Amino acid sequence: LGSPLLHQVRRTIERHALLPAGSRVVVGLSGGSDSVALACLLLDLSGPGGFAVAGLAHTNHQLRPTADRDEAFCRDLAARLGQPFVTETMDVRGHADSRKLTIEDAARRLRYDVLARAAARLDADRIAVGHTEDDQAETLLLKLVRGAGPTGLAGIYPRRGRVVRPLLEVSRADLRRHLEQIGRSWVEDETNQDLENPRNRIRHVVLPELERSYGGTVRAALARAADILREDARMLDELAEGRFSALVTATAGGLTVDAAGLAAEPGPIVRRVLLKALREVSGGREVERAHVRGAADVLAGACGGIDVPGGRVELRRGILVFTRRGAGQGDILDEP
Amino acid sequence: LGSPLLHQVRRTIERHALLPAGSRVVVGLSGGSDSVALACLLLDLSGPGGFAVAGLAHTNHQLRPTADRDEAFCRDLAARLGQPFVTETMDVRGHADSRKLTIEDAARRLRYDVLARAAARLDADRIAVGHTEDDQAETLLLKLVRGAGPTGLAGIYPRRGRVVRPLLEVSRADLRRHLEQIGRSWVEDETNQDLENPRNRIRHVVLPELERSYGGTVRAALARAADILREDARMLDELAEGRFSALVTATAGGLTVDAAGLAAEPGPIVRRVLLKALREVSGGREVERAHVRGAADVLAGACGGIDVPGGRVELRRGILVFTRRGAGQGDILDEP
């Protein structure tokens, strides 16, 4: 109970208030090392006066040849740990096709649906998933190379609503060592070896190359950077929300913004207010960094107006006007 | 004159107000493609009503076998461009040894010294250096893998005092293509091939691998992320400066901070105020993220006090007390 690993997980739980006293947590269990370790560690840390483990929940995605073996492994582990076990088999491919999602995205969405139903069945108010420091580092690199988006980078959150990630500050290597020490086995996901998958390339090619060059602290350094960036971004997002409320007025056809007032704000606030305004007229279309830059140029008077996803932005007598397409005004040139 | 490259450089100069009308700029010229392109582009963009190029300045570091050839190349280029030329030969190795600096760091410092003297001689009020989008991307990755430091990541600044970087939003590949089109040659720096150098590993191994995986937009995506992170960090730094002034009091032996007031601030402000306080008692020693975390634990009451570089932090009756070592109070245990 006094291992440094257990200590770090307890510290993460306390620092981010993941599992308050009296809470009941369902643990997402894929059968891989991270989730097996999560189940074992949370059972060690649970107890009277603290939180309780309500049970383990597995999703059979029917994607891998080993899907049924993995489910059986999880069922057996739950029995050995004396825990209630919930499993659902989902048609990931069908869901991906019908919703036009990637397989990865469809699997992720269905998995969280299964966890939500499991929480309801097991009377749990928290859902724990096994993301580690390694996932945090990989996600940050992935976001960086794909383009940070208009407002930057936020890594994986320790808590989002009911979903908590107690392993976010420990490494996969330490978790595997722990499992070996306590004599617990896990299943290997052979799809993690597929180098066509961008995340797997980061994991198996890019990160090992960075570690060869800069030593074994690379993943931890990236994960700590992600923490700092997430906190910084959250504070700026909150400040920008306040300025948005003060500066932006909803109209029948879109939004208007006090241009002089917005231009007087610092760049990070200007960018975030413009992004939020662009998203509100976009009708769900994706807003990119170039659109935010274009709107900033209009605000600065560098051009009179530009088309943006779902609408148009123009500067009219000191007012920045966001018009929804089809809202009956503006010159809409690029699309019917 | 209407090339997209020239347009982008003009845009960078205008957006960041790098070279105001009437300013005179000295251009740092190594002879490599970036600095040769910088000299040519700034000459194209200069003129009456705008800025003027005051001349070209070269530093002979005496490090490479080709150092004298490179100097001769630069002198010849200046003559062809009809520009004043200033060069100085510096003892980089000796400077590195006597100041206990890395060769890279010593060369950088001496180069900026040479540029400052050249600006004085040529009556220039701006110094232009040839950092590109590629340098920006490499720097961000280097900072990430080395650990982001206590307050995160800021990339290369378009302007720092008199030093301006007009090429920060264009790629090295585009600059080389431009030089080939206008028939200008450059010298290759063979030390850029040394893969023992961390930056060269990023440039020649890591970034190409990322580009193979994610396409040719990786460098641009990283550079744009660096822009956003730099602006975000600057705003938070400024907010934290204001809170530091309000919450921190200098004492004979160090600093005191209103603990309840600081604890009520958002995490990014707490982190930055603690960092600044730690730096002020550190006596120039390096403050790391772990020290900021430790001080945050003391602030939160998780422990009574900790030793930090150059001193100690303790919580005493609602006051967070930073004591300089040898300042006559506190229990100093770890060093004489």
Side-chain angles (χ1 to χ4, degrees):
Chain A
L1 267 160
S3 82
L5 180 69
L6 207 62
H7 179 71
Q8 178 57 55
V9 174
R10 186 189 287 121
R11 205 175 140 97
T12 302
I13 290 171
E14 285 170 3
R15 174 174 297 134
H16 302 287
L18 302 185
L19 296 167
S23 61
R24 288 173 54 81
V25 60
V26 60
V27 181
L29 183 69
S30 69
S33 56
D34 302 347
S35 66
V36 171
L38 177 65
C40 296
L41 289 163
L42 289 185
L43 281 167
D44 283 345
L45 289 168
S46 66
F51 66 89
V53 175
L56 313 181
H58 178 76
T59 306
N60 185 330
H61 296 108
Q62 297 181 285
L63 289 174
R64 313 175 196 161
T66 59
D68 293 332
R69 176 207 73 180
D70 297 348
E71 180 182 327
F73 173 89
C74 290
R75 185 187 308 278
D76 179 62
L77 177 65
R80 285 167 192 257
L81 294 172
Q83 286 294 310
F85 181 68
V86 172
T87 182
E88 284 191 57
T89 297
M90 307 301 290
D91 176 15
V92 177
R93 282 189 213 286
H95 190 74
D97 286 349
S98 68
R99 305 291 178 94
K100 302 200 190 316
L101 299 171
T102 64
I103 292 284
E104 197 178 26
D105 196 23
R108 190 177 55 78
R109 290 174 188 227
L110 289 172
R111 196 158 58 239
Y112 281 103
D113 289 348
V114 168
L115 286 167
R117 285 190 291 271
R121 267 175 67 183
L122 296 166
D123 190 26
D125 54 2
R126 290 286 186 283
I127 293 165
V129 290
H131 294 98
T132 63
E133 185 180 89
D134 298 67
D135 295 304
Q136 184 71 283
E138 293 160 9
T139 300
L140 180 61
L141 279 179
L142 261 180
K143 288 199 173 190
L144 278 170
V145 299
R146 283 175 167 172
T151 61
L153 309 142
I156 303 171
Y157 283 72
R159 184 157 78 85
R160 280 276 218 194
R162 292 184 300 175
V163 176
V164 298
R165 300 184 170 93
L167 303 186
L168 207 50
E169 295 169 314
V170 298
S171 72
R172 183 169 298 134
D174 283 347
L175 292 171
R176 292 188 172 201
R177 217 167 294 129
H178 176 73
L179 289 176
E180 282 162 7
Q181 279 167 4
I182 66 172
R184 286 269 167 230
S185 59
W186 64 88
V187 297
E188 291 288 352
D189 176 0
E190 69 284 358
T191 64
N192 283 345
Q193 304 303 319
D194 172 15
L195 294 185
E196 292 300 304
N197 175 300
R199 182 177 290 275
N200 290 340
R201 286 195 74 83
I202 293 276
R203 181 178 298 177
H204 295 299
V205 182
V206 176
L207 275 167
E209 172 54 41
L210 288 171
E211 289 193 326
R212 264 192 296 281
S213 304
Y214 307 101
T217 58
V218 163
R219 278 162 225 258
L222 286 167
R224 294 297 83 76
D227 288 346
I228 287 178
L229 295 174
R230 187 184 63 243
E231 287 186 14
D232 283 2
R234 177 152 50 187
M235 178 171 171
L236 292 170
D237 289 347
E238 287 172 9
L239 289 172
E241 286 288 329
R243 300 312 298 145
F244 187 93
S245 306
L247 293 164
V248 180
T249 309
T251 62
L255 301 168
T256 60
V257 188
D258 169 8
L262 182 57
E265 297 287 335
I269 299 298
V270 173
R271 199 170 349 103
R272 285 170 169 82
V273 169
L274 291 175
L275 174 66
K276 191 168 154 72
L278 287 166
R279 283 193 175 144
E280 295 210 353
V281 299
S282 71
R285 293 172 187 81
E286 196 174 356
V287 178
E288 293 170 14
R289 189 181 141 91
H291 304 124
V292 177
R293 276 202 151 185
D297 285 344
V298 176
L299 176 67
C303 71
I306 57 162
D307 289 324
V308 295
R312 190 166 169 81
V313 183
E314 290 173 339
L315 189 64
R316 298 186 198 155
R317 279 162 278 121
I319 306 289
L320 194 66
V321 181
F322 290 76
T323 318
R324 257 181 226 100
R325 190 145 318 175
Q329 356 180 10
D331 300 319
I332 292 157
L333 298 169
D334 64 343
E335 278 181 25
Chain B
L1 267 161
S3 83
L5 180 68
L6 206 62
H7 178 71
Q8 178 57 54
V9 174
R10 187 188 286 121
R11 205 175 140 97
T12 302
I13 290 171
E14 285 169 3
R15 175 176 294 134
H16 302 288
L18 301 187
L19 297 167
S23 60
R24 288 174 53 81
V25 61
V26 60
V27 182
L29 183 68
S30 70
S33 57
D34 302 348
S35 65
V36 171
L38 177 64
C40 296
L41 289 163
L42 289 186
L43 281 167
D44 283 347
L45 290 168
S46 65
F51 64 91
V53 175
L56 313 181
H58 178 75
T59 305
N60 185 330
H61 296 107
Q62 297 182 284
L63 290 174
R64 314 174 195 160
T66 60
D68 293 330
R69 177 206 73 181
D70 296 349
E71 180 184 326
F73 174 88
C74 290
R75 187 186 307 277
D76 179 63
L77 178 66
R80 287 168 191 258
L81 295 172
Q83 285 294 311
F85 181 67
V86 172
T87 182
E88 283 190 59
T89 298
M90 306 303 288
D91 176 15
V92 177
R93 282 189 216 285
H95 190 74
D97 285 349
S98 68
R99 305 291 178 94
K100 300 201 190 320
L101 300 169
T102 63
I103 292 283
E104 198 178 26
D105 197 20
R108 191 177 54 77
R109 289 173 189 226
L110 290 173
R111 196 158 57 238
Y112 281 103
D113 289 347
V114 168
L115 286 167
R117 284 190 292 270
R121 267 175 67 181
L122 297 166
D123 191 26
D125 54 0
R126 291 285 188 282
I127 293 165
V129 290
H131 294 97
T132 64
E133 183 180 90
D134 298 68
D135 295 303
Q136 184 71 284
E138 293 160 9
T139 300
L140 180 61
L141 279 178
L142 261 180
K143 288 199 173 191
L144 279 169
V145 298
R146 284 176 166 170
T151 61
L153 308 144
I156 302 172
Y157 283 72
R159 184 156 79 85
R160 280 277 219 193
R162 290 184 300 175
V163 176
V164 298
R165 299 186 172 90
L167 304 185
L168 208 48
E169 295 169 315
V170 297
S171 72
R172 184 169 297 135
D174 283 347
L175 292 171
R176 292 188 171 202
R177 217 168 292 129
H178 177 72
L179 289 177
E180 282 161 7
Q181 280 167 3
I182 65 173
R184 287 267 167 231
S185 59
W186 64 88
V187 296
E188 292 289 352
D189 176 359
E190 69 284 0
T191 63
N192 282 345
Q193 304 303 320
D194 172 16
L195 294 184
E196 292 301 304
N197 174 300
R199 181 176 291 273
N200 290 340
R201 285 196 75 83
I202 294 276
R203 180 177 299 176
H204 296 299
V205 182
V206 176
L207 276 167
E209 172 54 42
L210 287 170
E211 288 192 326
R212 264 192 296 282
S213 305
Y214 306 101
T217 57
V218 163
R219 277 163 226 258
L222 286 167
R224 294 296 84 77
D227 289 345
I228 288 178
L229 295 175
R230 187 184 62 243
E231 288 185 13
D232 284 3
R234 179 153 48 188
M235 178 172 170
L236 292 170
D237 289 347
E238 287 172 6
L239 289 172
E241 286 288 329
R243 300 312 297 144
F244 186 92
S245 305
L247 293 165
V248 180
T249 308
T251 62
L255 300 167
T256 60
V257 188
D258 168 7
L262 182 57
E265 297 287 334
I269 299 298
V270 173
R271 204 176 337 108
R272 285 170 169 82
V273 169
L274 291 175
L275 174 66
K276 190 168 155 71
L278 287 166
R279 284 195 174 144
E280 296 210 353
V281 299
S282 71
R285 293 173 187 80
E286 196 174 357
V287 178
E288 293 170 13
R289 190 181 140 93
H291 304 125
V292 177
R293 276 203 151 183
D297 286 344
V298 176
L299 176 66
C303 72
I306 57 161
D307 289 323
V308 295
R312 190 165 169 83
V313 183
E314 289 174 338
L315 189 63
R316 298 188 198 152
R317 279 162 279 122
I319 307 289
L320 194 64
V321 181
F322 290 76
T323 318
R324 258 181 224 103
R325 189 144 319 171
Q329 358 179 8
D331 299 321
I332 293 157
L333 299 168
D334 64 342
E335 278 180 24

